[in-house]
Amino acid sequence: MADSSCSLPPLYENISYKSYILRAVDLTILGLLFSLLLHRILYMSQNGIIWLVAFLCESCFSFVWLLSTCTKWSPAETKPYPDRLDERVYDLPSVDMFVPTADPVREPPIMVVNTVLSLLAVNYPANKLACYVSDDGCSPLTYFSLKEASKFAKIWVPFCKKYNLKVRAPFRYFLNPFAATEGSEFSRDWEMTKREYEKLCRKVEDATGDSHLLGTDNELEAFSNTKPNDHSTIIKVVWENKGGVGDEKEVPHIVYISREKRPNYLHHYKAGAMNFLARVSGLMTNAPYMLNVDCDMYANEADVVRQAMCIFLQKSQNQNHCAFVQFPQEFYDSNTIKLTVIKSYMGRGIAGIQGPINVGSGCFHSRRVMYGLSPDELEDNGSLSSVATRELLAEDSLSSGFGNSKEMVTSVVEALQRKPNPQNILTNSIEAAQEVGHCDYESQTSWGKTIGWLYDSMSEDMNTSIGIHSRGWTSSYIAPDPPAFLGSMPPGGLEAMIQQRRWATGSIEVLFNKQSPLLGLFCRKLRFRQRVAYLCVSICVRSIPELIYCLLPAYCLLHNSALFPKGLCLGITMLLVGMHCLYTLWEFMCLGHSIQSWYVSQSFWRIVATSSWLFSIFDIILKLLGLSKNVFLVSKKTMPVETMSGSGIGPSQREDDGPNSGKTEFDGSLYFLPGTFIVLVNLAALVGVFMGLQRSSYSHGGGGSGLGEACACILVVMLFFPFLKGLFAKGKYGIPLSTLSKAGFLAVSFVVFSVGN
């Protein structure tokens, strides 16, 4: 409960990062793009179809830049002051923490365990926390690992709080060099804790290789004769903090759940799992706030929960000031700079409008908001209005919205009315929790439609975020230093392509469902610029123009036709490219990254746009035509080998083969066909020019190809340099013969068409 005294300093403040210089640069680049388009229009008749295609592509790029400029126009973020929390709040609210996992092979249990341990050890009263792990893979190995981790947590959590450790995920903490006086108390505790963690790792690793080592515990009987897509609901209270008072030696509740799955039912992927987590936690602990963290994102800031509570507990005249608090996704992998930079600038930009987009991890939600509550239904003091009380708390409304479980309805009423959750015994709620996990429980209810995480898209985070903002809520963006959460990305190559394809498919799906920012333009409470921001992050359809634009310089070289303006007008193109390069390079260097990182990022996004995003468009087309259903593909997560068992293998010993080595792994997947084709075509065009294979004449008055087109071909090859290296490399870093054969056939066909057309 918060103190209402106005004399005390605020728990947070909003910080604006407006820069008129950056706005001027954005507008200048936009002006140059429009100038190029105007020049295309004026001289279209003299250059024919080539300029028409270039005009359409550049129109798309100009539109995307316009959306981006509008989104980044007023960047902002929220700065919390957790040290002031104790002065303002004498009874901190409870928080339920959710960790979903789906596949014990692609998401190793030791990774899940480290995420859970980092959450259990945050600086927050243990009796106010509960950690729920959702296992959509129904794996006895995951449950076994969680059970063993609960034993280690009784050592790890007190150790973290006793010495106020900064890093609270053991696999990262034990990478740091040991610095303490030999024989000191800390030294003894450190050695003992590390030894116990290595035992935990060995147990999990051994059980992974031999299922007999899982034991014959009666609790494992629930996993007998089960399949990942065919099993009953399983709920296990791994550890219960009975009678906890918030002592530093206490460990929060740990609950394992796996919802019922049957082959003939639609389970809505991660969104369905999150809604089951919301129902089970509502029955057991019913905390007013919920945190969802991906299984590969560990808590890197011990005060992260207190930082989020600063936002929720600040007394505000505007009751819709915050529906959720989003922390940015950041990574400890060296191959993820390309993602952190763009999310840094876009995240702050969107935060300056109606609030950040929910990115699916590192997000604190208000349970009342997730239950469908709107700002209009609240009084100034935050309690339900009389109208809302009559409508929302009516028995028929509750059962039709939340299901027929009486226990579930009771917990919903308590949550909506902000009644303190009683300290019940968790095991007493297992039977009711199993009921709300049945496959058909959500049938004829509002779950996934207006309540909880919304369905109809693989990007359940964005879909749900639009639904919340459309009701008039705002959200807050906190980017602390050090980062609140750190995670890993799939290793370069196929896994990265799969993840990007899934994200792109989900983003495009949002454009075509009921939550689309294009629909109800003036009907809902979603601000116009917030719609623009959602559209900006969903515009993966620019993949087709990017693919075409990568081929145009090669076509023009071989066809001996002009792609870019001649004479002084060529300066528009050169200035545009130069300003864009310098601007994006400046963004990287301001965040402390190198020129090489900038170059790798530019290359990465071109490759993704012409491969993963391209396939996502095909996915959406097939779905809209009813010819196919999108399948949620779990990307493979990895942990550095040396961090899992303290084996002492240093990074330098494995840098040649590690996921962060900077090398791209290839296989026979179609994901690598477009990039290989683009490189071969542009190389063929450059070779053709030097060998005189161009057409000897051109049919339009715009002039033939020249230095500009040749430089563009070289630039394209540089952007797809990983594929150029793959042409000459061997093994997993070389492009397979099957892919080379397909790309070679397409490249020859393209050259023949370009020269002979």
Side-chain angles (χ1 to χ4, degrees):
M1 183 174 178
D3 187 352
S4 60
S5 174
C6 297
S7 60
L8 295 174
L11 294 176
Y12 73 90
E13 65 175 322
N14 293 316
I15 301 175
S16 174
Y17 292 94
K18 292 180 182 178
S19 172
Y20 292 103
I21 296 177
L22 296 184
R23 288 181 176 181
V25 174
D26 283 325
L27 293 177
T28 300
I29 293 177
L30 189 62
L32 290 172
L33 284 167
F34 287 152
S35 298
L36 180 59
L37 294 177
L38 179 60
H39 185 84
R40 297 278 191 200
I41 294 173
L42 293 176
Y43 295 92
M44 187 79 69
S45 60
Q46 301 178 22
N47 293 274
I49 191 68
I50 297 297
W51 275 39
L52 175 60
V53 174
F55 172 79
L56 294 176
C57 293
E58 290 160 359
S59 296
C60 178
F61 303 152
S62 301
F63 180 63
V64 171
W65 189 263
L66 176 62
L67 296 180
S68 176
T69 299
C70 184
T71 301
K72 297 189 298 181
W73 194 253
S74 54
E77 70 175 67
T78 304
K79 182 179 181 180
Y81 298 102
D83 54 314
R84 300 175 182 175
L85 200 60
D86 293 332
E87 303 174 7
R88 302 289 300 274
V89 181
Y90 57 84
D91 186 20
L92 291 169
S94 300
V95 178
D96 290 334
M97 304 179 293
F98 302 156
V99 180
T101 183
D103 189 329
V105 176
R106 304 185 72 81
E107 298 173 334
I110 193 63
M111 174 182 286
V112 180
V113 160
N114 270 276
T115 298
V116 170
L117 289 169
S118 70
L119 293 174
L120 298 177
V122 295
N123 286 338
Y124 205 76
N127 62 326
K128 298 289 186 177
L129 296 174
C131 185
Y132 295 83
V133 178
S134 169
D135 178 18
D136 260 7
C138 191
S139 168
L141 176 61
T142 300
Y143 172 70
F144 170 81
S145 303
L146 200 61
K147 191 173 180 182
E148 292 300 318
S150 69
K151 302 173 185 176
F152 174 69
K154 298 170 187 177
I155 300 172
W156 176 249
V157 173
F159 176 70
C160 289
K161 295 185 176 181
K162 179 179 180 180
Y163 297 106
N164 194 26
L165 303 187
K166 293 182 179 180
V167 179
R168 304 207 172 181
F171 86 105
R172 296 294 292 180
Y173 173 74
F174 289 118
L175 281 179
N176 300 327
F178 177 71
T181 304
E182 196 70 30
S184 65
E185 182 181 6
F186 174 73
S187 174
R188 292 192 297 271
D189 289 347
W190 190 94
E191 292 289 350
M192 184 270 293
T193 306
K194 186 174 188 293
R195 187 166 54 252
E196 292 300 320
Y197 175 66
E198 290 174 346
K199 288 182 182 178
L200 169 64
C201 291
R202 282 195 296 271
K203 285 183 179 180
V204 174
E205 185 177 353
D206 293 343
T208 303
D210 186 357
S211 59
H212 295 292
L213 296 178
L214 295 175
T216 58
D217 196 322
N218 292 333
E219 293 184 356
L220 292 176
E221 291 182 2
F223 296 93
S224 60
N225 301 319
T226 61
K227 298 179 181 179
N229 64 340
D230 189 6
H231 61 86
S232 301
T233 301
I234 300 176
I235 300 176
K236 301 287 187 181
V237 178
V238 179
W239 166 255
E240 184 170 3
N241 183 22
K242 296 181 180 179
V245 294
D247 185 85
E248 290 189 352
K249 294 184 179 181
E250 293 177 11
V251 175
H253 302 307
I254 308 174
V255 181
Y256 170 94
I257 68 173
S258 184
R259 57 185 171 140
E260 181 184 28
K261 280 190 173 183
R262 300 301 177 194
N264 297 326
Y265 282 85
L266 182 62
H267 301 102
H268 302 290
Y269 312 118
K270 182 180 175 181
M274 297 304 297
N275 283 334
F276 182 46
L277 280 164
R279 293 195 294 272
V280 172
S281 63
L283 290 168
M284 289 189 167
T285 47
N286 208 22
Y289 301 104
M290 303 176 290
L291 164 65
N292 70 289
V293 180
D294 283 349
C295 65
D296 60 330
M297 300 286 295
Y298 70 88
N300 187 61
E301 167 57 66
D303 285 326
V304 60
V305 180
R306 297 169 64 84
Q307 290 178 351
M309 291 304 107
C310 287
I311 313 300
F312 288 122
L313 301 180
Q314 171 67 53
K315 287 291 184 178
S316 173
Q317 296 298 321
N318 183 11
Q319 285 299 327
N320 66 348
H321 76 288
C322 187
F324 62 86
V325 176
Q326 179 65 60
F327 291 84
Q329 279 186 309
E330 299 194 43
F331 308 90
Y332 54 80
D333 307 79
S334 61
N335 65 335
T336 54
I337 295 174
K338 49 192 174 282
L339 289 174
T340 57
V341 172
I342 190 171
K343 288 185 177 183
S344 175
Y345 287 101
M346 293 300 291
R348 281 182 174 177
I350 301 173
I353 310 174
Q354 197 173 342
I357 298 173
N358 175 10
V359 298
S361 182
C363 188
F364 287 82
H365 293 274
S366 165
R367 187 180 289 272
R368 295 205 300 171
V369 175
M370 296 303 289
Y371 281 175
L373 197 64
S374 298
D376 296 340
E377 297 167 327
L378 295 176
E379 299 286 358
D380 291 340
N381 62 0
S383 60
L384 291 178
S385 65
S386 56
V387 176
T389 301
R390 290 196 303 272
E391 295 179 354
L392 296 178
L393 302 186
E395 185 174 347
D396 293 342
S397 175
L398 289 169
S399 59
S400 62
F402 295 91
N404 294 321
S405 168
K406 294 182 180 179
E407 293 84 355
M408 185 71 229
V409 168
T410 300
S411 75
V412 169
V413 172
E414 292 175 348
L416 292 176
Q417 293 183 332
R418 299 193 301 179
K419 291 183 178 179
N421 48 309
Q423 298 295 321
N424 292 327
I425 299 175
L426 299 186
T427 52
N428 292 344
S429 304
I430 290 181
E431 184 176 348
Q434 289 176 330
E435 178 186 352
V436 301
H438 291 164
C439 288
D440 57 355
Y441 180 81
E442 294 182 350
S443 178
Q444 307 300 319
T445 70
S446 297
W447 286 103
K449 301 172 185 175
T450 58
I451 295 174
W453 279 260
L454 304 187
Y455 301 151
D456 295 331
S457 171
M458 284 194 287
S459 289
E460 82 296 328
D461 44 11
M462 184 186 300
N463 209 26
T464 303
S465 184
I466 295 177
I468 292 172
H469 285 142
S470 296
R471 300 203 301 269
W473 292 103
T474 60
S475 52
S476 294
Y477 179 81
I478 303 178
D481 185 18
F485 298 96
L486 284 176
S488 67
M489 285 289 290
L494 179 62
E495 295 299 332
M497 296 293 186
I498 291 174
Q499 185 178 68
Q500 290 293 330
R501 178 181 181 178
R502 187 182 74 238
W503 288 349
T505 302
S507 298
I508 300 174
E509 278 180 325
V510 172
L511 296 178
F512 295 95
N513 65 19
K514 297 178 182 178
Q515 300 299 325
S516 173
L518 299 175
L519 301 177
L521 194 58
F522 301 104
C523 300
R524 296 185 291 180
K525 297 177 181 178
L526 192 63
R527 300 175 191 174
F528 176 76
R529 285 184 56 220
Q530 190 75 11
R531 293 179 187 275
V532 170
Y534 279 113
L535 185 60
C536 183
V537 299
S538 303
I539 202 71
C540 300
V541 291
R542 72 177 186 264
S543 173
I544 295 177
E546 289 213 29
L547 175 61
I548 295 174
Y549 212 74
C550 287
L551 299 174
L552 276 179
Y555 176 86
C556 290
L557 268 185
L558 294 168
H559 190 259
N560 198 14
S561 55
L563 175 60
F564 303 111
K566 300 295 184 181
L568 292 176
C569 293
L570 181 60
I572 296 176
T573 306
M574 296 176 62
L575 182 60
L576 180 59
V577 173
M579 284 195 65
H580 182 270
C581 289
L582 291 175
Y583 182 37
T584 53
L585 177 59
W586 174 86
E587 288 183 326
F588 268 74
M589 298 189 73
C590 281
L591 295 178
H593 302 306
S594 65
I595 296 177
Q596 182 183 3
S597 299
W598 166 78
Y599 165 69
V600 171
S601 176
Q602 301 305 307
S603 173
F604 173 81
W605 289 117
R606 301 293 73 75
I607 293 172
V608 166
T610 54
S611 57
S612 297
W613 293 359
L614 185 65
F615 286 107
S616 70
I617 295 175
F618 294 148
D619 291 339
I620 295 299
I621 293 174
L622 292 175
K623 179 182 177 181
L624 293 176
L625 294 176
L627 301 177
S628 175
K629 292 183 179 180
N630 293 331
V631 178
F632 190 93
L633 300 174
V634 179
S635 53
K636 186 176 182 179
K637 280 80 171 182
T638 59
M639 289 176 64
V641 176
E642 68 272 8
T643 66
M644 290 192 288
S645 60
S647 59
I649 303 175
S652 60
Q653 293 174 260
R654 309 189 65 90
E655 61 183 2
D656 292 336
D657 297 317
N660 302 328
S661 61
K663 297 180 180 179
T664 301
E665 297 180 9
F666 297 94
D667 63 10
S669 168
L670 288 177
Y671 287 106
F672 303 108
L673 180 60
T676 307
F677 168 60
I678 290 171
V679 168
L680 291 179
V681 162
N682 282 273
L683 288 176
L686 291 171
V687 172
V689 170
F690 292 115
M691 295 183 64
L693 299 180
Q694 286 178 295
R695 283 182 44 163
S696 58
S697 62
Y698 42 85
S699 56
H700 295 284
S705 59
L707 183 61
E709 288 73 20
C711 289
C713 280
I714 295 173
L715 178 60
V716 171
V717 173
M718 289 177 61
L719 289 172
F720 286 81
F721 189 68
F723 287 85
L724 181 62
K725 290 196 299 183
L727 293 176
F728 305 100
K730 296 181 180 180
K732 63 181 180 181
Y733 299 119
I735 299 175
L737 182 60
S738 59
T739 302
L740 276 175
S741 302
K742 298 171 187 174
F745 173 77
L746 293 175
V748 170
S749 302
F750 182 89
V751 171
V752 172
F753 172 78
S754 302
V755 174
N757 187 24

